[in-house]
Amino acid sequence: MTERLKTTLDQWMNLVAISEAGSVQAAAERLHKSHTTLLYSIKKLESQLGTELVEVVGKKTRLTASATMLLRKAGSMLETARQLEKLSSLLSEGYESSLVISVDHLCDRRWIYDPLTRFCAENALTSVTLRETSLTATRRYVKEKLSDIAIINLPVENFPSSFFGHVKMLPVISVFHALAGQNEISQSELVNTTQIVLRDLGSENSTQGENVGWLKPQRRITVDNFDYAIDAVSSGLGFCRLPEHMIKRLNNPDIITLSVHEGFDYQVPLHVTLPKGEDTGPAARALFDLLMQDASGRKG
């Protein structure tokens, strides 16, 4: 059987108010209560706890050492109660307890984390799962409504989307590779150089996934993600296209950008969409709004 509490949160809040205000009179004014009412509440709390909480020093009534010690614990208890009330309010408004955000692997993850930090600061209820996608998987998460928010490259039919940002793709190679010191490399030279490409994570068949971009070299090495690709390039296996933001963040002295005569860099537009449409919950919409606020600064 659960033992019933002797005290109430309101009594502890009165005690905290006295501690913060410095006296019973000052706390009573802050709480819009009479001095007598507040003092009666504290005296009743003393009786319930069996210990003195206030003492008279000169003309002022202040907290005892015992009260100060108890308040160290009471503060966290009151904060927990406030959090419970806030969570209850979010639940009553239909806020989701969890969200899934699918993020195309080309996306600069900083575009996600800054808005997500602000979202978490205001929402203690909702947990968020980030799922990396590419090519077929990117569209599957939208079409099958597997995510609440989706960062995609090309818009998906019948799913309205908004511009999220551009990602510049650059060809890179190891500094130790024979092509590293050359300028104005032709595409014919690259045909004979091994190309590192990323597998279509959404394809059931690992050898027949969707292909994108220039894929003319006689030999390709296919990997699952950019981490593998970077290691492959660093080891001198061949060249690969990487997002410019990733190259800058890596700052890897073993990798350099190739200088290709015909021009070998291109911009990939990214978009954001709400796969569940009108069924999107308030938490997902709140995070979507934060993402779009940041995206507005990247337009142009």
Side-chain angles (χ1 to χ4, degrees):
M1 182 178 175
T2 303
E3 184 178 352
R4 187 171 181 176
L5 296 175
K6 299 177 182 178
T7 62
T8 66
L9 289 175
D10 190 58
Q11 288 174 308
W12 289 107
M13 289 181 68
N14 289 338
L15 200 62
V16 169
I18 295 172
S19 175
E20 293 177 347
S23 69
V24 174
Q25 184 61 45
E29 292 174 1
R30 176 184 294 186
L31 296 172
H32 304 291
K33 295 182 179 181
S34 68
H35 180 278
T36 303
T37 299
L38 184 57
L39 189 58
Y40 173 79
S41 172
I42 298 303
K43 288 298 182 182
K44 184 176 181 180
L45 184 58
E46 285 182 336
S47 175
Q48 292 165 325
L49 296 176
T51 186
E52 290 189 0
L53 300 174
V54 292
E55 59 186 357
V56 178
V57 178
K59 295 182 178 181
K60 287 188 176 182
T61 303
R62 67 182 188 184
L63 298 182
T64 64
S66 295
T68 302
M69 185 274 291
L70 289 171
L71 280 177
R72 295 194 190 103
K73 295 289 185 181
S76 59
M77 175 184 66
L78 291 172
E79 181 58 30
T80 299
R82 292 189 187 97
Q83 287 296 324
L84 285 172
E85 289 186 353
K86 188 174 182 179
L87 291 178
S88 297
S89 176
L90 292 174
L91 285 171
S92 68
E93 294 173 14
Y95 267 65
E96 308 91 307
S97 61
S98 64
L99 295 176
V100 174
I101 306 176
S102 57
V103 183
D104 188 89
H105 67 159
L106 299 182
C107 183
D108 187 338
R109 280 168 284 189
R110 291 172 298 182
W111 297 352
I112 307 293
Y113 292 141
D114 288 345
L116 186 56
T117 299
R118 301 199 301 274
F119 173 79
C120 290
E122 296 297 324
N123 186 339
L125 171 67
T126 306
S127 298
V128 179
T129 298
L130 299 178
R131 294 281 174 82
E132 185 179 62
T133 63
S134 69
L135 301 174
T136 305
T138 295
R139 289 193 295 279
R140 183 169 65 87
Y141 266 78
V142 175
K143 290 183 176 181
E144 298 181 15
K145 301 182 180 180
L146 300 177
S147 56
D148 298 279
I149 300 173
I151 311 299
I152 58 180
N153 42 28
L154 296 176
V156 179
E157 185 179 1
N158 295 325
F159 289 88
S161 60
S162 301
F163 175 78
F164 195 55
H166 280 112
V167 174
K168 189 174 185 179
M169 302 296 292
L170 297 172
V172 296
I173 203 163
S174 168
V175 294
F176 305 108
H177 195 279
L179 293 180
Q182 298 185 29
N183 292 320
E184 301 297 317
I185 300 167
S186 66
Q187 289 191 20
S188 60
E189 290 178 277
L190 286 180
V191 168
N192 297 314
T193 304
T194 299
Q195 183 177 9
I196 314 299
V197 298
L198 271 66
R199 181 172 71 86
D200 183 351
L201 297 179
S203 174
E204 296 292 336
N205 189 325
S206 61
T207 62
Q208 296 182 3
E210 181 177 323
N211 294 322
V212 174
W214 191 82
L215 300 169
K216 291 184 178 180
Q218 296 177 7
R219 179 171 58 192
R220 283 180 272 165
I221 293 179
T222 303
V223 297
D224 272 1
N225 54 52
F226 281 122
D227 286 339
Y228 280 99
I230 291 164
D231 289 343
V233 171
S234 297
S235 68
L237 276 174
F239 77 95
C240 179
R241 286 196 191 89
L242 295 180
E244 184 179 36
H245 64 79
M246 190 176 294
I247 297 171
K248 290 180 178 179
R249 189 171 70 249
L250 283 171
N251 194 26
N252 187 337
D254 295 333
I255 293 177
I256 63 169
T257 303
L258 278 174
S259 174
V260 182
H261 176 65
E262 289 84 356
F264 219 60
D265 58 350
Y266 60 91
Q267 299 271 2
V268 179
L270 294 182
H271 301 80
V272 61
T273 186
L274 297 172
K276 296 178 181 178
E278 293 182 357
D279 293 329
T280 301
R285 291 187 183 278
L287 180 52
F288 175 85
D289 289 342
L290 290 173
L291 290 167
M292 292 311 301
Q293 285 176 20
D294 272 26
S296 64
R298 294 190 291 273
K299 294 180 179 180

